Amino acid sequence: MTDVIKTTVTLNVNGRPIEVKPGELLIEACEQAGDYIPRFCYHPRMEPVGMCRMCLVEVDGPRGATLQPACYIHVTDGMNVTTNSEKVKKAQDGVLEFLLANHPLDCPVCDKGGECPLQDQTLTHGSGETRFIEEKRHFVKPIEIGKLVLLDRERCIQCARCTRFSDEVAGDTEIAFSGRGDLIEVAPSPTKPFDSVFSGNTVQICPVGALTAKPYRFSARPWDLEQVESTCTTCAVGCRVAVQSSGNRLTRILGVDSDPVNHGWLCDKGRFSLDSIDGNEESRDLLSAATRISQPLLRENGVLKEVTWDEALEAAASILRNAAQSSDGVGAVGGASLTNEGAFAWERLVRGVLGSEHLDAQFGDGLDPVVLQALPKATIDEAAAAKTIVTLTGDLREELPVLFLRLRENIVRQNSALIEFGFGPSALRSLARVSLAIRPGEAHLAARALCDGSDAPKGAIFTNEELEEARQHIGDSGEGVVFVVGRANLAEDSSVLEEAIRRFAERYPNATFLVALRRANVMGALDMGLAPRLRPGRGVDVAASGRDTLDQLAALRDGEQKALLVLGGCLIGNVADAPAARAALEKADVIAVTGHGGATLAYASVVLPAAVQHERRGTVTNIEGRVSAVTPKIVAPGSAWPDVAIAAELAELLGQSIGLTSVEQAAKAIEETTGYPALSVMNDELHDGVVVGRADASSLRHALDPMAFPGIRSTEAVGIASYTGSTTTVLAHSSGVTKGASLSDLTSSPEIEVGIADAYSLTLYASRRLYDRGIAMQGSPALQPLIPSSALALHHVDLDRLGVESGTVVKVTGARGSILLPVVLDEHVARGSAGIFVGTLNSSGENPLDVLFDPEHLISQVRLETR
Amino acid sequence: MSHFQPELRQRAEELVALYPRSRSAMLPLLHLAQEQDGYLSEAGIEEVAGLTGTTSADVRGTASFYDMFHLEPVGKYVVGVCTNIACLLAGGEEFLEHASQTLGCAVGATSEDGLFTLEETECLADCDKAPCVQVNHRYVRTTTPESFDTLVGDLRKGVHDADIPSHGTLIRVKRNGGLRASHDEIREQRATSSAARAKRAEGNS
Ligand code: SF4
Ligand code: SF4
Ligand code: FES
Ligand code: FES
């Protein structure tokens, strides 16, 4: 006899039969049936707790109908539920009366006023009168619980959404309930404030105005704000956001619940960096990221002066014209901060008009683009659901924060096995089933040992047993395994990781890969062909050869290349070897197309102001290849232009045409020539976007109410039905000589020889922090103070061996000299290596990477001296 | 470096090993921390967080639920006066007022010399001796203002050093700690305190 597994259960809600999935929570079932149940503590992305009792409904049982919390009970077959009886209404009224007994009359001065679930639900379900004449409880009004979050304890209704978020979702438990009864409060530890990189989410999900965000506090009233739905392009996760503005100033960014991407969560950098887009009006320093570039600039007598677009474009065109006379005279770098349309336009200009194959969207801080294109890809959902996840990346919480949340959630909930190749700090470490500690220059050896079934390489700091356990989890063919691969260490040549990744891909044919590269639209720029050998639409021309960023810098230094187009982003601020880049730019004619100031502008002959995120229309592609729309909310300052227009005008001046004059045209051209779904995504503005190359790409469009959805729908929003968008099938193809990339295109690299560190040296591990000295952080007054200063992180074994204590300032000597850095203890750093964070400065304003990076070798080695 | 002294640290590790999830050992560990420091110092809380794989916000939050854990330094003697119903009827509130005057500190505060902390408590389960008073969670059975004053004098003189050790020491924890804590030790302690009590009774008569 076979068991029949029931796929639905039927229950009665207010006398109507409804069919839902078994195991569904009653609150969800009723909502699907159109009966919205009021709530405070329930949040669909977190475990229910049944704390607030606002969701009481009547459920029939053996002793008659009783009031039960709908968020805490699961549906059963034949259940009889009443959500609108007198008894239920009385219960709702009663719960509200209790909540309001201790709630201050703050609405007129409360940030939440106007979008507050407590206000809304009181209006809908409350009695309208108060019987409470006693003194309310009082607390000191707002206290700072973290650098970005303020807490007004009087307003808190103890729903535990924030504390559950901190514990369950972010996993760092930096806040918890403290005290009891009416004195209960949300509290961080006095020695460890609430400085999680996810702290802003608690402000968004707090159903009252208890938690407020410092940058937004008192800056606007919700009814004065206008909003659009867009995609965050601060990193490459591509979280869906609601972008709000008041007039032409961005005021707030909120997370939108996109099921395949961000589940409503954002990181604080994505959420609070909006000031960097508005720009600091006072800031005039062109070398500072806080300055918005709003006018074309031309260098005259050594100084950048404001000029008209005509003058600037003419100057740029003449530089390009002259340089293009010698073969290989011009090239372009950057493009990862552009939209797909912008990247496509520049690709046409550089390849089509200038005839150059020298272009690269990565600043030498990524991975071989052909390897990236050739890997079989996994989506974020697939990675999160994988039975085994293998990571060979930097700290994901620091590099791709919301990807970290997604992976963490599934590792915790489904107990999937995490195998970590760990160089240094990692927020996932405590969840890893196996953690193979490796030093810089060892990744390919570790990968080889894993794949060949051989013993751990000589001198390795992981054991054969650990290696074997990892193999067990990965299985024979890698079925159900997702490798998450990124560029962990900037002080190590990318060939080491590329070799490791290639071995994984060859050895485990059924495994898939998620590329953990950080810069906003890097995948989109590569898909648009912004790298040597790549072609728009994910094509590869194996016969072509061009210079990547590092080669271009070398060619500029040697005078082989004359001119360089820098497309968005700060080149100097992002390359590992900034001194070499400076020397190269010194000799070059540089045209910078950018919206922000930065060190690169010191070398620019012409600066063309471009519109940046939230000012431009188009599409972007995230790490999993999901194309989603970006929608402008404000108008770019001054006379900044969209990239498509700048590229088109330059082409005209060079006597040719790229055939594009608008973003729409670019999107259309992308879709028509390559099948890449730019136009359909842009026009449909599908909520979740579309993954390139995936057949079933249905998506959802719904009423945009991020304060309410998910979790608490403000009463007005009830009744707005969800709209399911059309199902689009997309498969990118490429035309002409090009074809899709495959692993067989890759010439296997010669044996990688990494020098062995002597006993006194440590190998350098230069990893990324979310809070670095990039544009988003430096341009935002709220985030800028959070940028840490440099330190040298060591394992305790090395501290003991060298006889230094945590906190001591030591002299660190590398390839280019010495720098003073305080030493900190970090057990995550592999023994024998020393960790620094990219994009930080020491107390005298020096960047450690500038001094310690060794361009001559595959890895960098440093020595320590105590002063 | 462990904040717990070696002996306590060892006991703490034994306690953690008793549970399938180390977080379950949080309350007994907090007793240990309080036993060492007299209250829950930040360093103690961090030690417990480390031992239980949680964070100090979580540990502090949990500890703050319980009145017998002190998050602020307390006096050598924590004096609890019950004002629950039976004691209330027997003059508990007045007794508390009196205690406050004798000790020279408000309810909830610590005397200036750092010797006494005065607390108002709920029922201490000794209602037949109302109004009920405890010092460092030991019944002292002083039901009149006069006997209370005598007790305070004796505490100051150190008369009770043997049977009322400094705040923090909870025999119960010792007994359960590690499940192999010696019953002999407990018996011995009990014997010492009853001997001390008997001796005092003799002296008084
Ligand atoms: S602060 Fe807000 S989210 Fe946190 S418990 Fe209070 S009401 Fe809930
Ligand atoms: S994780 Fe990335 S995409 Fe998401 S909010 Fe943060 S910066 Fe933006
Ligand atoms: S108890 Fe159900 S929503 Fe709070
Ligand atoms: S009421 Fe005071 S001890 Fe019970």
Side-chain angles (χ1 to χ4, degrees):
Chain A
M1 204 180 85
T2 50
D3 277 338
V4 180
I5 299 170
K6 288 199 77 165
T7 50
T8 57
V9 294
T10 310
L11 60 152
N12 273 303
V13 177
N14 300 330
R16 276 183 307 127
I18 62 165
E19 248 183 54
V20 288
K21 282 203 301 283
E24 187 95 64
L25 288 169
L26 185 54
I27 199 167
E28 294 281 353
C30 290
E31 190 171 349
Q32 281 165 30
D35 287 300
Y36 184 84
I37 296 172
R39 67 198 67 174
F40 290 111
C41 67
Y42 175 68
H43 188 288
R45 294 291 181 192
M46 300 192 286
E47 296 294 329
V49 281
M51 300 228 346
C52 72
R53 315 314 269 190
M54 189 61 204
C55 65
L56 291 174
V57 293
E58 273 190 277
V59 181
D60 281 358
R63 286 172 295 149
T66 49
L67 287 170
Q68 297 187 27
C71 72
Y72 211 64
I73 51 175
H74 297 278
V75 291
T76 54
D77 220 2
M79 200 177 222
N80 251 328
V81 184
T82 317
T83 70
N84 53 11
S85 63
E86 272 315 304
K87 205 161 147 195
V88 170
K89 286 186 183 145
K90 193 138 189 290
Q92 291 167 339
D93 183 6
V95 168
L96 281 167
E97 186 169 22
F98 270 120
L99 286 178
L100 293 174
N102 264 325
H103 196 82
L105 270 176
D106 271 0
C107 304
V109 292
C110 175
D111 264 0
K112 204 74 167 190
E115 57 181 14
C116 175
L118 183 60
Q119 269 185 338
D120 291 351
Q121 300 194 56
T122 301
L123 199 68
T124 328
H125 306 285
S127 71
E129 287 290 330
T130 177
R131 294 183 291 169
F132 192 79
I133 50 165
E134 291 76 9
E135 184 71 15
K136 294 188 188 237
R137 65 186 180 151
H138 291 294
F139 282 111
V140 174
K141 281 177 101 70
I143 52 168
E144 185 178 307
I145 56 170
K147 296 244 171 52
L148 297 167
V149 180
L150 296 166
L151 167 67
D152 204 317
R153 290 166 288 178
E154 292 170 353
R155 296 180 189 158
C156 173
I157 59 166
Q158 291 87 43
C159 70
R161 279 181 158 206
C162 58
T163 51
R164 279 182 290 149
F165 174 83
S166 176
D167 185 42
E168 223 179 283
V169 183
D172 45 23
T173 323
E174 286 186 351
I175 46 174
F177 276 135
S178 178
R180 201 174 352 106
D182 66 339
L183 291 179
I184 199 167
E185 56 181 281
V186 172
S189 148
T191 50
K192 175 95 189 58
F194 183 39
D195 286 337
S196 159
V197 296
F198 300 109
S199 68
N201 292 301
T202 61
V203 176
Q204 183 173 340
I205 60 175
C206 177
V208 292
L211 294 171
T212 43
K214 246 202 248 172
Y216 172 76
R217 200 172 154 83
F218 299 140
S219 73
R221 280 314 209 168
W223 54 85
D224 289 334
L225 297 177
E226 291 176 335
Q227 66 180 5
V228 296
E229 185 174 338
S230 188
T231 306
C232 174
T233 53
T234 308
C235 84
V237 175
C239 300
R240 289 298 278 174
V241 289
V243 184
Q244 303 182 329
S245 73
S246 155
N248 202 39
R249 269 197 98 71
L250 295 174
T251 40
R252 183 166 64 166
I253 290 185
L254 295 170
V256 169
D257 190 276
S258 169
D259 192 54
V261 187
N262 61 319
H263 289 188
W265 312 130
L266 299 179
C267 71
D268 285 359
K269 187 172 174 181
R271 185 185 297 272
F272 294 123
S273 61
L274 70 191
D275 285 337
S276 68
I277 295 152
D278 284 330
N280 178 349
E281 274 146 24
E282 255 92 85
S283 177
R284 292 272 172 277
D285 179 6
L286 292 176
L287 305 189
S288 150
T291 311
R292 267 311 296 272
I293 307 293
S294 54
Q295 298 297 335
L297 305 169
L298 183 62
R299 192 171 296 277
E300 279 166 19
N301 303 324
V303 194
L304 284 173
K305 293 243 171 61
E306 284 190 11
V307 292
T308 62
W309 266 106
D310 283 349
E311 290 169 279
L313 285 169
E314 190 42 65
S318 87
I319 290 175
L320 294 174
R321 210 178 291 125
N322 288 340
Q325 272 165 12
S326 61
S327 68
D328 296 334
V330 8
V333 297
S337 60
L338 308 176
T339 57
N340 290 334
E341 292 67 26
F344 183 72
W346 285 113
E347 194 272 345
R348 281 202 169 175
L349 181 89
V350 177
R351 274 215 183 86
V353 176
L354 298 170
S356 168
E357 184 67 23
H358 311 316
L359 72 188
D360 190 357
Q362 306 183 75
F363 291 128
D365 56 349
L367 293 166
D368 182 341
V370 182
V371 175
L372 295 179
Q373 293 295 40
L375 292 171
K377 298 288 182 345
T379 61
I380 295 177
D381 267 349
E382 286 161 0
K387 86 174 188 346
T388 300
I389 304 169
V390 186
T391 59
L392 178 65
T393 62
D395 188 347
L396 289 177
R397 185 168 70 189
E398 300 291 333
E399 296 205 3
L400 298 160
V402 172
L403 174 65
F404 160 81
L405 289 186
R406 292 291 317 275
L407 295 182
R408 183 190 176 278
E409 177 185 14
N410 280 60
I411 295 167
V412 172
R413 285 201 183 160
Q414 310 176 356
N415 206 16
S416 29
L418 171 69
I419 317 284
E420 218 187 21
F421 283 91
F423 301 86
S426 157
L428 284 173
R429 183 75 33 95
S430 61
L431 298 172
R433 207 70 72 79
V434 186
S435 209
L436 301 165
I438 50 176
R439 280 171 294 231
E442 288 182 356
H444 63 302
L445 301 177
R448 185 192 301 163
L450 179 85
C451 296
D452 296 354
S454 50
D455 280 352
K458 208 166 132 272
I461 32 184
F462 55 86
T463 63
N464 284 334
E465 290 69 45
E466 287 172 324
L467 199 59
E468 188 47 40
E469 200 187 338
R471 267 185 220 118
Q472 297 292 332
H473 285 298
I474 299 172
D476 199 47
S477 65
E479 188 66 47
V481 180
V482 172
F483 284 83
V484 184
V485 294
R487 179 76 181 275
N489 180 6
L490 253 67
E492 173 190 70
D493 193 81
S494 64
S495 59
V496 178
L497 283 193
E498 284 152 9
E499 174 67 17
I501 295 167
R502 187 162 34 227
R503 280 183 183 274
F504 291 149
E506 280 165 7
R507 170 65 186 81
Y508 299 110
N510 294 345
T512 49
F513 289 77
L514 184 63
V515 176
L517 288 184
R518 181 180 84 142
R519 202 163 299 124
N521 192 29
V522 60
M523 298 313 281
L526 296 180
D527 286 354
M528 292 302 111
L530 280 187
R533 301 167 83 197
L534 297 192
R535 292 293 178 270
R538 293 200 172 165
V540 175
D541 182 351
V542 273
S545 91
R547 300 181 188 127
D548 64 12
T549 295
L550 298 183
D551 289 345
Q552 287 193 58
L553 290 173
L556 289 166
R557 203 164 41 235
D558 301 343
E560 281 165 33
Q561 184 174 325
K562 300 273 180 297
L564 184 69
L565 259 168
V566 182
L567 307 174
C570 180
L571 174 66
I572 304 278
N574 282 295
V575 285
D577 192 356
R582 286 177 188 274
L585 295 191
E586 197 73 66
K587 296 200 171 166
D589 280 326
V590 178
I591 302 167
V593 186
T594 180
H596 292 276
T600 309
L601 296 196
Y603 307 92
S605 309
V606 187
V607 182
L608 304 174
V612 302
Q613 68 167 329
H614 309 314
E615 296 170 351
R616 58 188 179 189
R617 189 164 145 72
T619 60
V620 290
T621 306
N622 78 348
I623 45 172
E624 53 180 343
R626 179 178 303 277
V627 182
S628 56
V630 292
T631 311
K633 183 67 213 73
I634 54 171
V635 178
S639 60
W641 285 3
D643 284 274
V644 176
I646 304 176
E649 286 292 325
L650 269 179
E652 293 291 332
L653 288 174
L654 292 167
Q656 290 187 48
S657 164
I658 55 170
L660 313 167
T661 51
S662 68
V663 172
E664 284 70 18
Q665 241 178 7
K668 189 152 172 268
I670 295 171
E671 188 141 354
E672 277 171 3
T673 56
T674 71
Y676 202 84
L679 188 68
S680 38
V681 167
M682 195 163 88
N683 285 345
D684 282 358
E685 283 175 10
L686 288 180
H687 174 66
D688 291 335
V690 164
V691 177
V692 181
R694 296 292 169 123
D696 182 19
S698 68
S699 193
L700 198 73
R701 190 195 283 173
H702 60 59
L704 179 56
D705 188 0
M707 270 337 276
F709 186 88
I712 293 174
R713 187 174 292 176
S714 59
T715 40
E716 271 153 88
V718 176
I720 299 178
S722 297
Y723 163 82
T724 309
S726 56
T727 302
T728 340
T729 304
V730 235
L731 277 168
H733 61 78
S734 12
S735 51
V737 291
T738 64
K739 59 178 194 75
S742 80
L743 282 169
S744 57
D745 295 339
L746 309 169
T747 45
S748 95
S749 63
E751 199 63 19
I752 297 175
E753 283 297 338
V754 180
I756 305 294
D758 63 56
Y760 301 101
S761 298
L762 299 161
T763 48
L764 191 64
Y765 175 65
S767 62
R768 286 202 170 89
R769 289 275 295 203
L770 185 64
Y771 295 160
D772 58 8
R773 293 177 49 78
I775 290 168
M777 295 294 299
Q778 288 209 72
S780 155
L783 294 179
Q784 208 266 346
L786 301 178
I787 305 173
S789 58
S790 308
L792 194 75
L794 296 178
H795 192 270
H796 82 266
V797 167
D798 291 309
L799 281 182
D800 292 350
R801 188 167 64 94
L802 298 160
V804 277
E805 268 176 36
S806 186
T808 349
V809 175
V810 295
K811 184 169 150 196
V812 192
T813 307
R816 292 204 168 113
S818 303
I819 182 170
L820 296 178
L821 290 173
V823 164
V824 293
L825 168 70
D826 189 337
E827 300 298 50
H828 283 183
V829 173
R831 287 193 312 260
S833 63
I836 56 168
F837 289 125
V838 176
T840 58
L841 302 179
N842 76 353
S843 54
S844 12
E846 298 160 302
N847 181 341
L849 201 56
D850 287 356
V851 180
L852 305 178
F853 182 74
D854 181 353
E856 306 294 324
H857 296 95
L858 295 184
I859 55 172
S860 305
Q861 301 196 4
V862 298
R863 280 164 180 264
L864 256 59
E865 274 168 57
T866 40
R867 281 196 296 173
Chain B
M1 252 273 295
S2 164
H3 174 71
F4 280 168
Q5 282 142 17
E7 189 221 346
L8 284 192
R9 174 76 196 193
Q10 197 200 332
R11 199 147 69 209
E13 280 164 12
E14 287 167 10
L15 277 165
V16 171
L18 285 180
Y19 300 91
R21 287 159 165 242
S22 47
R23 192 174 188 277
S24 311
M26 193 185 289
L27 293 188
L29 293 189
L30 283 169
H31 280 295
L32 289 189
Q34 184 153 295
E35 178 160 335
Q36 174 176 305
D37 299 336
Y39 76 108
L40 295 179
S41 66
E42 198 48 42
I45 287 179
E46 268 164 30
E47 179 95 358
V48 174
L51 280 159
T52 52
T54 55
T55 61
S56 38
D58 194 11
V59 174
R60 175 172 285 270
T62 307
S64 69
F65 186 87
Y66 301 96
D67 280 344
M68 281 163 77
F69 288 128
H70 294 273
L71 292 162
E72 310 268 312
V74 290
K76 185 173 175 195
Y77 300 111
V78 174
V79 179
V81 178
C82 171
T83 54
N84 217 307
I85 187 72
C87 297
L88 184 81
L89 295 174
E93 294 224 316
E94 294 75 18
F95 198 100
L96 183 65
E97 177 59 34
H98 173 79
S100 161
Q101 265 165 19
T102 304
L103 300 175
C105 64
V107 179
T110 301
S111 62
E112 239 158 57
D113 56 10
L115 269 186
F116 298 99
T117 297
L118 179 60
E119 285 184 334
E120 177 178 11
T121 74
E122 299 302 328
C123 179
L124 295 168
D126 204 18
C127 316
D128 59 326
K129 309 284 181 325
C132 178
V133 181
Q134 280 192 335
V135 177
N136 291 350
H137 307 300
R138 286 151 177 85
Y139 294 120
V140 288
R141 311 258 159 94
T142 49
T143 50
T144 60
E146 296 72 37
S147 59
F148 181 78
D149 291 354
T150 317
L151 171 75
V152 171
D154 286 351
L155 283 168
R156 283 192 206 279
K157 279 185 247 149
V159 175
H160 291 282
D161 281 3
D163 58 324
I164 307 183
S166 288
H167 180 260
T169 316
L170 278 182
I171 287 199
R172 198 164 45 85
V173 185
K174 283 197 178 160
R175 182 166 63 220
N176 294 339
L179 280 188
R180 58 174 189 72
S182 79
H183 286 267
D184 293 347
E185 198 185 323
I186 297 158
R187 236 171 274 134
E188 210 175 284
Q189 276 216 29
R190 281 206 184 127
T192 329
S193 13
S194 29
R197 219 177 290 133
K199 206 161 150 229
R200 257 197 331 274
E202 251 167 53
N204 286 349
S205 60

